[in-house]
Amino acid sequence: MIHIIFIFSKLFGDHSGPIDGSIVTTIIAIEYDGGVVLGSDSRVSAGDSVVNRVMNKLSPLHDKIYCALSGSAADAQTIAEIVNYQLDVHSIEIGEDPQVRSAATLVKNISYKYKEELSAHLIVAGWDRRDGGQVFATLKGLLTRQPFAVGGSGSSYVYGFVDAEYRRGMNKQECQQFVVNTLSLAMNRDGSSGGVAYIVTIDKHGTEEKVVLGNQLPTFFDQ
């Protein structure tokens, strides 16, 4: 199954034309006591052209597990679809919802196996009954749980901000604002990030999706 989808992606999806494009972007996820918040901008570029202004880069892997996508659009989406399928099968086999770590491990394994062919970086985050809210960074075989993670081209503009503003023990609303502020700053500075901000909040009760329009994002400079 993996080989079929992978070959199809590389033959028909992964090129620089307007069908695909690159997700040079800003993605972020953060844990709080009881859940996680994920966020991303919505711009997809092919070279100097914007080929999609409103792509949702927060992809569900299971009911309470999402991933944030960056890199090649075709590669990142293909990994997410493969893991979504495998988690559905795994959930049926074990008779319960999968763990977030299991989803992150699947992403890591695919990324490592095809590290020479794929160009994608996924942040996996979600909630499970065993460990609550969790955020995992995955990149070409790397798998680390972190209190928060940022990625994409816009991340280099906001590392100073997130390091200065993050503090342990933030509640759900504070984490949501932290994600919105980070995305707003990155979208203002990074030419490859823009559009709207997609926000997903996950806890034991389910998922909550929100879209913040560009003109509703906070600003941090004099107009």
Side-chain angles (χ1 to χ4, degrees):
M1 180 69 180
I2 292 177
H3 293 285
I4 293 174
I5 297 176
F6 173 70
I7 293 170
F8 180 85
S9 169
K10 299 308 290 184
L11 287 177
F12 300 104
D14 189 18
H15 51 76
S16 58
I19 296 176
D20 176 28
S22 297
I23 312 179
V24 280
T25 183
T26 305
I27 54 175
I28 181 172
I30 182 173
E31 298 179 2
Y32 67 90
D33 184 19
V36 294
V37 182
L38 300 90
S40 81
D41 73 312
S42 64
R43 178 173 292 174
V44 179
S45 304
D48 295 330
S49 302
V50 176
V51 298
N52 192 336
R53 295 179 296 172
V54 287
M55 175 183 175
N56 188 348
K57 305 169 190 175
L58 304 180
S59 182
L61 300 179
H62 205 263
D63 293 343
K64 296 178 183 177
I65 307 173
Y66 273 62
C67 65
L69 312 176
S70 69
S72 163
D75 290 352
Q77 288 175 318
T78 298
I79 293 174
E81 290 170 4
I82 293 171
V83 173
N84 174 253
Y85 169 79
Q86 293 182 334
L87 283 180
D88 284 343
V89 174
H90 177 61
S91 178
I92 294 171
E93 290 176 341
I94 64 176
E96 60 183 40
D97 289 340
Q99 296 179 44
V100 181
R101 181 177 290 274
S102 298
T105 300
L106 288 171
V107 170
K108 182 263 293 184
N109 289 344
I110 296 171
S111 299
Y112 181 72
K113 184 173 183 179
Y114 297 109
K115 59 183 179 296
E116 300 299 331
E117 293 89 358
L118 294 176
S119 175
H121 173 210
L122 279 65
I123 296 173
V124 179
W127 182 93
D128 62 47
R129 290 185 298 173
R130 177 175 296 185
D131 297 310
Q134 302 150 73
V135 172
F136 289 93
T138 66
L139 181 63
K140 297 187 184 301
L142 170 72
L143 178 63
T144 57
R145 181 177 176 181
Q146 302 174 190
F148 70 91
V150 292
S153 59
S155 62
S156 60
Y157 294 89
V158 295
Y159 274 119
F161 172 79
V162 296
D163 286 341
E165 294 297 316
Y166 172 78
R167 64 183 189 281
R168 294 188 180 276
M170 290 194 294
N171 60 31
K172 173 181 174 180
Q173 290 73 27
E174 290 172 328
C175 285
Q176 289 173 328
Q177 192 62 53
F178 178 83
V179 168
V180 170
N181 289 347
T182 301
L183 292 174
S184 180
L185 283 168
M187 291 160 69
N188 278 324
R189 298 299 183 187
D190 177 30
S192 297
S193 301
V196 303
Y198 288 103
I199 311 295
V200 172
T201 305
I202 307 172
D203 59 23
K204 66 179 180 181
H205 303 294
T207 62
E208 173 190 340
E209 299 184 359
K210 180 181 180 181
V211 179
V212 183
L213 300 180
N215 60 0
Q216 296 174 344
L217 290 169
T219 56
F220 297 86
F221 53 86
D222 292 334
Q223 297 289 343

